[in-house]
């Protein structure tokens, strides 16, 4: 089945700095890569996703890059703010595309 | 309006009891899921339903049984609760099966005494 590895498990940055979280996947046929943000007491919420026909996608302060050859994709958050503090999950399709497999999560802390 | 709602938000019960968690989505999605999130925040898929058919069933004990009365609902029944069942359970939905964004509920925190 699909293995999704996510690093780092925790990340602490100063407000205004950038944060980068990286995920690797094992199935070269995977073609959809979402990122979710989970705030305390809430369910994960989709913040950005990318399909394998593009290498980068941006939405204001967040961006996702995809390297299909190396089988990794990354979440980039610029000009971080305290409200960006949360747990972030990457995901990739399972081998039969019937569901998504999630990374182990990254706890991001943005210090004011 | 809440897109994916699950009840109850908290569930505290004793070992050996039987309990249910309800989930409803008003997005008109065809596929619904149940996930288990453990204390380390790891999200594990338990079940998914597409047009009322069970699509996947991971290595989940048969004490757990999903029930879908219609496309908008996927309830989770748990029999003979064990200590290890303590976790947060999330319901989610997506437009179709496969590579689609998933919309999550806010979770049900199950605590077994």
């Amino acid at each position: 089945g699909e293995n999704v590895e996510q690093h780092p498990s925790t990340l602490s940055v100063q407000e205004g700095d950038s944060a980068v979280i990286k995920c690797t996947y094992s199935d070269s046929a995977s073609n959809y890569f979402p990122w979710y943000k989970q705030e305390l007491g809430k369910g994960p919420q989709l913040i950005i996703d990318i399909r394998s026909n593009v290498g980068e996608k941006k939405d204001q302060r967040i961006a996702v890059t995809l390297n299909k050859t190396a089988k990794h994709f990354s979440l980039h958050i610029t000009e971080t703010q305290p409200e960006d503090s949360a747990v972030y999950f990457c995901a990739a399709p399972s081998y039969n595309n019937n569901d998504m497999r999630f990374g182990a999560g990254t706890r991001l802390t943005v210090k004011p | 309006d809440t897109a994916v709602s699950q009840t109850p938000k908290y569930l505290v019960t004793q070992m050996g009891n039987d309990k249910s968690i309800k989930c409803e989505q008003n997005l008109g999605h065809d596929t619904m899921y149940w996930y288990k999130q453990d204390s380390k925040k790891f999200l594990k898929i338990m079940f998914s339903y597409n047009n009322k058919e069970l699509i996947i069933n991971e290595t989940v004990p048969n004490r757990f049984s999903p029930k879908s009365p219609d496309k908008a609902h996927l309830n989770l029944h748990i029999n003979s609760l064990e200590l290890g069942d303590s976790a947060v359970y999330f319901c989610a939905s997506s437009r179709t099966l496969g590579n689609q964004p998933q919309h999550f509920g806010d979770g049900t925190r199950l605590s077994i005494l």
Side-chain angles (χ1 to χ4, degrees), chain B residues 4-112:
Chain B
V4 180
S5 60
Q6 50 184 113
T7 54
K9 190 169 177 65
Y10 300 97
L11 185 52
V12 182
T13 190
Q14 292 194 327
M15 218 165 40
N17 284 350
D18 303 337
K19 290 293 177 186
S20 295
I21 307 172
K22 294 185 176 181
C23 180
E24 176 182 3
Q25 54 96 2
N26 62 6
L27 296 167
H29 287 171
D30 283 346
T31 308
M32 296 183 72
Y33 311 84
W34 275 106
Y35 289 86
K36 179 181 181 180
Q37 186 173 50
D38 61 24
S39 57
K40 295 184 178 180
K41 297 292 188 181
F42 187 67
L43 267 170
K44 182 178 178 182
I45 183 75
M46 298 177 73
F47 303 103
S48 68
Y49 252 74
N50 186 58
N51 283 332
K52 297 178 67 175
E53 270 191 77
L54 180 65
I55 301 299
I56 60 170
N57 183 346
E58 293 290 307
T59 53
V60 173
N62 57 14
R63 298 182 295 105
F64 291 79
S65 56
K67 296 280 195 310
S68 180
D70 54 60
K71 199 173 76 167
H73 296 83
L74 183 64
N75 304 323
L76 183 65
H77 299 272
I78 316 170
N79 295 326
S80 303
L81 281 158
E82 300 178 357
L83 287 175
D85 298 333
S86 295
V88 181
Y89 292 84
F90 287 99
C91 177
S93 72
S94 62
R95 190 171 57 84
T96 61
L97 193 64
N99 304 335
Q100 298 288 329
Q102 293 186 14
H103 298 252
F104 284 79
D106 282 339
T108 296
R109 182 174 292 277
L110 174 62
S111 300
I112 309 301

